[in-house]
Amino acid sequence: MNVQEQIKAYIASQPEPKRSEMQELHNLMLQILPGCKLWFDNGKNSENKTISNPTIGYGFYTIKYADGKTKDFFQIGLSANKTGISVYILGIKDKTYLAKTFEKKIGKASVTGYCIKFKKLKEINMDILESAIRYGLEITSEK
């Protein structure tokens, strides 16, 4: 199965209304990043043990570790979880920026250093979510 097929199957496997909301967010990401590299992480490690929720990834970002090693990864991640949906924005150095800038304006969402988590799309301001995503893309493209 190629990445697009894996993403389609992952979204289709979600119960409604999460399935429709994941599809809406996936479409938004493709609109924000047309032609971007798509990723799919099934959440399993090399021993086939589940270590995280499956994640759809968008864009390209190189993680630089303290020991000098690097890893190619996605810039933005989208994942379903037990209580809702998480949007990951990687590469923001200031781990307080997302919460300081977007938490009060986004609606009913938990905002951490790199993750915006919410139960339903109707509980958040989509324009603010899009602004946070665009900020993350802008910051990582400056590197």
Side-chain angles (χ1 to χ4, degrees):
M1 221 186 317
N2 69 29
V3 173
Q4 274 110 342
E5 290 168 335
Q6 289 175 306
I7 291 169
K8 189 175 180 180
Y10 174 58
I11 292 172
S13 74
Q14 301 303 313
E16 283 296 353
K18 197 180 293 185
R19 178 183 318 133
S20 297
E21 293 184 349
M22 291 283 292
Q23 187 64 56
E24 184 175 338
L25 288 167
H26 177 63
N27 293 343
L28 174 67
M29 291 307 307
L30 296 176
Q31 180 184 337
I32 292 172
L33 279 164
C36 72
K37 178 174 175 60
L38 291 175
W39 306 68
F40 185 74
D41 179 351
N42 65 8
K44 297 182 187 284
N45 67 10
S46 58
E47 297 160 9
N48 209 31
K49 290 185 180 166
T50 300
I51 56 170
S52 67
N53 290 320
T55 304
I56 303 167
Y58 306 88
F60 186 84
Y61 171 66
T62 301
I63 298 172
K64 295 177 178 109
Y65 295 102
D67 65 3
K69 292 182 182 171
T70 61
K71 177 181 177 182
D72 292 342
F73 214 59
F74 48 79
Q75 291 170 292
I76 308 294
L78 175 61
S79 180
N81 56 58
K82 286 182 181 174
T83 59
I85 298 171
S86 295
V87 176
Y88 302 100
I89 305 172
L90 304 181
I92 300 173
K93 290 215 185 297
D94 179 353
K95 297 302 175 203
T96 64
Y97 184 84
L98 278 182
K100 283 190 306 192
T101 308
F102 300 105
E103 191 166 41
K104 287 188 171 90
K105 298 184 269 187
I106 200 162
K108 288 178 120 181
S110 159
V111 183
T112 65
Y114 66 94
C115 180
I116 299 172
K117 188 163 115 176
F118 49 90
K119 288 184 182 177
K120 296 181 188 304
L121 282 181
K122 69 180 183 181
E123 295 179 348
I124 66 163
N125 182 320
M126 286 292 287
D127 291 336
I128 300 299
L129 177 64
E130 184 175 341
S131 292
I133 291 166
R134 288 187 185 278
Y135 171 78
L137 295 171
E138 196 177 290
I139 289 303
T140 54
S141 67
E142 290 175 0
K143 293 182 179 179

